[in-house]
Amino acid sequence: MKRCLSGIKPTGNLTLGNYIGALREFKKYQDEYETFIFIADLHALTLPIDPAFLRSNTKDIVAFYIAAGLDPQKSTIFLQSDVSAHSEINTILENYLYMGELSRMTQFKDKSSKMKHEAVGLGIFTYPVLMAGDILLYNADVVPVGDDQRQHVELTRDLVHRFNARYNKEVFVMPQAISPKVGARIMSLSEPTKKMSKSDPKGDIFLKDEPNIIRKKIMSAVTDTGNEIKYDPVNKPGISNLLTIYAALSNKTIEEAEKEFEGMSQYGTFKKIVADKVLEELIPFKQRYEEVLKSGIIDQVLTEGAKRASYIANKTLRKVKKTVGLYVHD
Ligand code: AQP
């Protein structure tokens, strides 16, 4: 059976972007692939974060995974920090990626440009190495991600070519990034030329927001001065973003969604329909999330998940150690 792996880092409250670009997609794979979905908690340390928030947000994400339809019997749900092989393989793989390529990563450039040079942690620079290890430990064939993470999966592919060629054998499986056709990059509602992001929240819809807040945010989303509901990300980024959200949640193409609003000349009416669609999806989702939290199953899911994930990850780690010449003994 082919493998699927993905994760979310608990850096902030999850957004509608995380939901449409990633979370909502995961359950589609669990019947066809052996699926590993983790909480990238070590990655969350790459930016300053309050320890109590990190802990509670980690639990929240497990509950969100289950609420989004991941079945812990079918999918392995685990914490990155519970599987020490992630840190171990990171130490090895650091030697196979280069400073030049890491410094060209968009996420590193974006995040580090907002910090004082002296305060840019090493972890944010080497983030793609840890992420490559996450993927390669499980020999993942497919990696469902939103647009912003595709570059890191591409770098992992470069690493696989480099590593397998150096040792002249297929040590690692070549992973493939897959993103939803509609909604791989949801933009901020207040600055629709910027990605909706959980660690830099501007114009975000949070999955934990109350329905009245979500409606208010959508009704006050930035749009342009025209009145046509048309997909035109350059000239109408706000309307295009709302149209994308609507299309993604309705399982429609952008063209189908556009057709639905043909002739409508009131942005207010359009926004109300988008808000209804978002709430139709998020209200029951949040109820399921609350039920999961109440059910008290989270620790058990993570304990089981860590066992299953460690077994696979340690097997790969052992193979990698042998390949590079480390002395592996029983
Ligand atoms: N705006 C978005 N639209 C579509 N997909 C998105 N994703 C993130 N933002 C959007 C996808 O969500 C998954 C989890 O993301 P992550 O935790 O690995 O962090 P990220 O990609 O860096 O996303 P954020 O929310 O912007 O987090 P921070 O602010 O911590 O960096 C990924 O598959 C991502 O593509």
Side-chain angles (χ1 to χ4, degrees):
M1 203 179 200
K2 289 196 167 191
R3 296 222 176 110
C4 166
L5 172 127
S6 196
I8 294 184
K9 52 184 196 282
T11 34
N13 287 307
L14 293 206
T15 71
L16 185 64
N18 298 129
Y19 182 76
I20 293 177
L23 192 50
R24 178 173 180 264
E25 295 293 295
F26 295 161
K27 69 170 182 299
K28 297 183 185 166
Y29 299 97
Q30 66 185 355
D31 292 319
E32 205 184 323
Y33 291 85
E34 190 179 354
T35 300
F36 296 85
I37 304 289
F38 68 107
I39 291 92
D41 52 355
L42 293 174
H43 282 286
L45 299 174
T46 53
L47 289 176
I49 189 162
D50 174 61
F53 173 75
L54 174 56
R55 256 188 301 274
S56 73
N57 199 28
T58 298
K59 256 180 109 172
D60 271 352
I61 297 183
V62 181
F64 280 136
Y65 283 164
I66 298 170
L70 280 180
D71 174 352
Q73 300 302 323
K74 291 185 188 167
S75 299
T76 301
I77 299 174
F78 66 100
L79 298 185
Q80 185 184 32
S81 62
D82 268 346
V83 180
S84 58
H86 287 256
S87 305
E88 292 180 64
I89 200 166
N90 183 55
T91 310
I92 298 175
L93 295 183
E94 271 176 351
N95 303 299
Y96 299 82
L97 282 170
Y98 306 136
M99 305 266 289
E101 51 199 2
L102 292 179
S103 59
R104 284 193 292 276
M105 292 293 108
T106 308
Q107 191 172 82
F108 169 69
K109 287 197 283 188
D110 280 357
K111 293 204 159 139
S112 60
S113 69
K114 291 177 197 143
M115 303 165 167
K116 281 203 182 117
H117 182 68
E118 315 79 73
V120 177
L122 264 185
I124 198 157
F125 182 64
T126 58
Y127 175 107
V129 185
L130 184 58
M131 176 161 163
D134 299 337
I135 297 169
L136 300 179
L137 275 176
Y138 301 90
N139 287 313
D141 299 278
V142 294
V143 185
V145 283
D147 245 6
D148 62 322
Q149 289 293 346
R150 293 187 73 91
Q151 194 183 34
H152 293 153
V153 181
E154 278 308 313
L155 190 65
T156 304
R157 290 171 61 85
D158 293 344
L159 190 150
V160 171
H161 278 300
R162 194 172 294 160
F163 194 95
N164 288 353
R166 164 101 69 104
Y167 298 101
N168 199 23
K169 59 178 172 182
E170 292 277 304
V171 182
F172 292 129
V173 167
M174 186 61 77
Q176 174 86 44
I178 33 178
S179 306
K181 284 199 182 77
V182 181
R185 179 174 290 260
I186 300 298
M187 312 305 273
S188 152
L189 295 188
S190 57
E191 290 179 62
T193 51
K194 296 202 174 121
K195 191 191 82 148
M196 189 182 283
S197 174
K198 65 176 130 58
S199 68
D200 184 19
K202 283 185 203 98
D204 285 22
I205 289 181
F206 297 113
L207 301 183
K208 283 165 67 172
D209 276 345
E210 291 303 327
N212 62 325
I213 301 290
I214 294 179
R215 189 173 288 283
K216 214 164 142 188
K217 285 181 175 176
I218 295 176
M219 293 311 289
S220 51
V222 165
T223 49
D224 54 275
T225 49
N227 59 6
E228 228 186 336
I229 318 293
K230 214 168 146 262
Y231 186 75
D232 177 354
V234 176
N235 299 307
K236 297 167 92 65
I239 288 293
S240 303
N241 190 35
L242 292 175
L243 204 52
T244 302
I245 292 171
Y246 179 82
L249 295 179
S250 314
N251 300 311
K252 290 184 175 159
T253 63
I254 295 284
E255 294 73 26
E256 285 167 343
E258 236 177 0
K259 226 173 161 48
E260 218 176 302
F261 297 107
E262 221 169 49
M264 182 180 282
S265 56
Q266 296 275 326
Y267 282 170
T269 315
F270 168 62
K271 283 175 168 179
K272 187 179 171 307
I273 297 172
V274 176
D276 289 345
K277 180 53 72 185
V278 171
L279 292 175
E280 184 186 310
E281 179 95 9
L282 291 191
I283 291 174
F285 173 71
K286 195 171 161 214
Q287 272 164 3
R288 290 196 297 277
Y289 148 83
E290 277 159 4
E291 279 159 23
V292 177
L293 277 185
K294 258 193 243 143
S295 72
I297 60 166
I298 291 190
D299 285 0
Q300 189 194 334
V301 166
L302 291 177
T303 305
E304 282 301 310
K307 258 191 240 159
R308 296 212 294 257
S310 297
Y311 176 73
I312 306 286
N314 287 332
K315 259 174 49 174
T316 308
L317 181 64
R318 198 176 161 88
K319 184 169 154 193
V320 172
K321 281 179 162 178
K322 278 188 180 165
T323 302
V324 301
L326 298 177
Y327 185 67
V328 177
H329 56 95
D330 294 324

